[in-house]
Amino acid sequence: MLIRYKKNYEKIAMGLLSYVPSEKDIKLLLQTIRKYESQDDWQLFLWKDGEDIIGVIGIHTESAEKATIEHLSVNPSFRAEGVGKRIISALMEFLGDKVKLVPSAALAAYYQNCFHEKDHEEAGR
Ligand SMILES: CC(C)(COP(=O)(O)OP(=O)(O)OC[C@H]1O[C@@H](n2cnc3c(N)ncnc32)[C@H](O)[C@@H]1OP(=O)(O)O)[C@@H](O)C(=O)NCCC(=O)NCCS
């Protein structure tokens, strides 16, 4: 289940974001979390599985029609189980048809891997 970031989740969110290669430096990580807390066009969501928060996704809204996924991270214990893909799909549903979700350069290969095959499957139905 996708939930909005709140200050109470700061530690878990920072822990998850620290797996993102560009966020290894604690100072940069703090700047990132403050950006999500203070700027309306930067939005952070957490992924809750039962009682556990196991993923995070952050987007930058570029315009009314476009948002870029800037951060995506899944707890290593839950990787390669389709969680990342489910998080993106849930966010797409949350944003609705009018907003096109695009991956950052760092996520392009992963995003392609997740949704390219699906397109083929759907086309083949
Ligand atoms: C990238 C990440 C979010 C993927 O989460 P996940 O839940 O393990 O991914 P999924 O299980 O949905 O994977 C779906 C597919 O993408 C593939 N994949 C995983 N990471 C990939 C990557 N970095 N590049 C390309 N493909 C990748 C998986 O092998 C899987 O393919 P398959 O279905 O053909 O086996 C996770 O590895 C992670 O948290 N990494 C650390 C943070 C990070 O680097 N984020 C990206 C930059 S913001």
Side-chain angles (χ1 to χ4, degrees):
M1 181 177 68
L2 204 61
I3 55 170
R4 269 190 191 278
Y5 170 81
K6 281 187 283 188
K7 189 80 178 170
N8 327 3
Y9 299 129
E10 186 176 34
K11 284 203 181 117
I12 181 87
M14 283 181 68
L16 288 164
L17 284 171
S18 71
Y19 292 114
V20 173
S22 62
E23 304 294 336
K24 297 283 176 218
D25 182 311
I26 184 76
K27 281 190 193 145
L28 291 179
L29 181 55
L30 270 167
Q31 280 174 18
T32 296
I33 203 94
R34 296 290 170 257
K35 191 161 61 180
Y36 280 115
E37 285 172 354
S38 62
Q39 299 185 21
D40 288 347
D41 53 339
W42 286 78
Q43 287 178 284
L44 195 62
F45 300 85
L46 299 161
W47 184 254
K48 208 168 176 188
D49 184 17
E51 287 305 303
D52 301 322
I53 290 172
I54 61 167
V56 67
I57 190 164
I59 54 167
H60 179 214
T61 303
E62 321 268 350
S63 70
E65 297 90 34
K66 186 182 165 197
T68 303
I69 309 171
E70 298 288 349
H71 296 96
L72 176 67
S73 180
V74 171
N75 177 321
S77 308
F78 298 90
R79 287 196 193 152
E81 294 175 8
V83 174
K85 192 172 168 176
R86 281 203 288 284
I87 297 175
I88 297 174
S89 300
L91 187 62
M92 281 174 175
E93 204 171 304
F94 173 80
L95 294 172
D97 291 344
K98 288 189 184 129
V99 182
K100 184 174 163 54
L101 199 55
V102 296
S104 68
L107 275 163
Y110 171 71
Y111 194 90
Q112 171 78 3
N113 200 331
C114 284
F115 295 100
H116 174 75
E117 279 181 15
K118 186 173 162 237
D119 291 347
H120 279 295
E121 277 166 26
E122 280 176 0
R125 265 182 213 151

